Amino acid sequence: MEKEQSGTIKGSVYITVDKFFNPVHISMKGTGEEGFQEFMQEDVEKALKCEEMPTMGLMYYNVSDMGIVPPLQEGDNEDYLQRLEKAMDEHGIKLQRYQRLSEVVYCL
């Protein structure tokens, strides 16, 4: 995350979703494409240990003010993607990237 002179903090929100678009991994560490690469690496390492490739997607948003990002809740964050998408839509922020996990692993 980067702090702007105005006091707002820029950052990125990374999410891995299952085939039903339920979040299975959420992170706000790192920023942009570099942070996304680090985020993906964790899921790729887990997938390579599985007998069958999990059906998952990886996505992220770049956010100019992390104050608008919904906080993670203790325990269950099943509805986090819906809450995040609502906040992003309200502020006109578009999804930066969506990648299937299988495509990432195939490219290795």
Side-chain angles (χ1 to χ4, degrees):
M1 287 188 241
E2 300 173 20
K3 191 168 185 168
E4 292 280 301
Q5 286 182 350
S6 63
T8 60
I9 298 175
K10 294 172 85 172
S12 299
V13 181
Y14 307 101
I15 303 176
T16 302
V17 293
D18 65 15
K19 63 183 172 185
F20 303 109
F21 280 81
N22 296 314
V24 294
H25 182 197
I26 304 166
S27 177
M28 294 171 210
K29 293 189 296 187
T31 54
E33 196 66 27
E34 186 176 310
F36 190 52
Q37 297 294 330
E38 292 173 16
F39 175 77
M40 285 192 300
Q41 187 172 352
E42 291 179 44
D43 292 316
V44 166
E45 288 173 5
K46 288 178 189 173
L48 291 173
K49 294 176 184 173
C50 296
E51 282 187 34
E52 189 174 311
M53 181 59 57
T55 304
M56 292 197 274
L58 306 137
M59 62 178 73
Y60 82 98
Y61 288 92
N62 282 329
V63 184
S64 57
D65 179 4
M66 289 297 283
I68 66 169
V69 174
L72 292 171
Q73 297 171 345
E74 230 11 82
D76 184 18
N77 282 288
E78 188 174 293
D79 68 338
Y80 190 77
L81 184 58
Q82 289 84 12
R83 292 188 292 127
L84 179 65
E85 287 176 332
K86 182 177 186 239
M88 297 298 102
D89 287 346
E90 288 173 359
H91 291 88
I93 299 171
K94 302 289 183 207
L95 181 65
Q96 189 69 34
R97 188 164 159 198
Y98 177 86
Q99 190 81 44
R100 288 184 194 163
L101 179 63
S102 60
E103 293 172 339
V104 175
V105 171
Y106 180 73
C107 290
L108 295 176

